[in-house]
Amino acid sequence: MSQAEALVAATRFAPADRRSVSVANRAARVGAVPLASVLRAEQDDPPVLGGQIETAGTDSLPDLLAPLDVCFVGSTDLAADLGLLADPAVLRSA
């Protein structure tokens, strides 16, 4: 399993993926909603997955982006990781 797949698996409840399940939370009204209803609700309306690219890692960018609904670029962090000067003109051109 790739790092991106493992991260996505941690966002979905079992049995679909690997996120732990609890009904002791606000979404389940602290146990007032049956577990089956919580799981069904997530299956019908999964969470929005967002990410932020801050480093020039070695993972394939298309693979990292594929499971996400939205992605942001942390331009200053990325520029620093790439060794670029934090000159606004350099950042805008990147």
Side-chain angles (χ1 to χ4, degrees):
M1 176 181 294
S2 74
Q3 182 181 11
E5 291 168 332
L7 291 172
V8 172
T11 68
R12 304 286 195 266
F13 291 130
D17 266 311
R18 297 176 173 214
R19 181 177 174 194
S20 62
V21 180
S22 171
V23 292
N25 58 57
R26 290 183 344 168
R29 294 196 307 267
V30 192
V33 176
L35 177 58
S37 297
V38 172
L39 297 176
R40 190 171 31 260
E42 185 195 80
Q43 183 179 6
D44 294 343
D45 189 18
V48 174
L49 297 181
Q52 183 159 325
I53 306 297
E54 296 179 339
T55 59
T58 58
D59 291 340
S60 164
L61 192 56
D63 290 342
L64 288 173
L65 297 177
L68 300 178
D69 297 304
V70 63
C71 184
F72 304 93
V73 176
S75 57
T76 304
D77 290 326
L78 184 57
D81 189 57
L82 292 170
L84 300 174
L85 297 175
D87 178 349
V90 172
L91 295 178
R92 278 193 296 276
S93 68

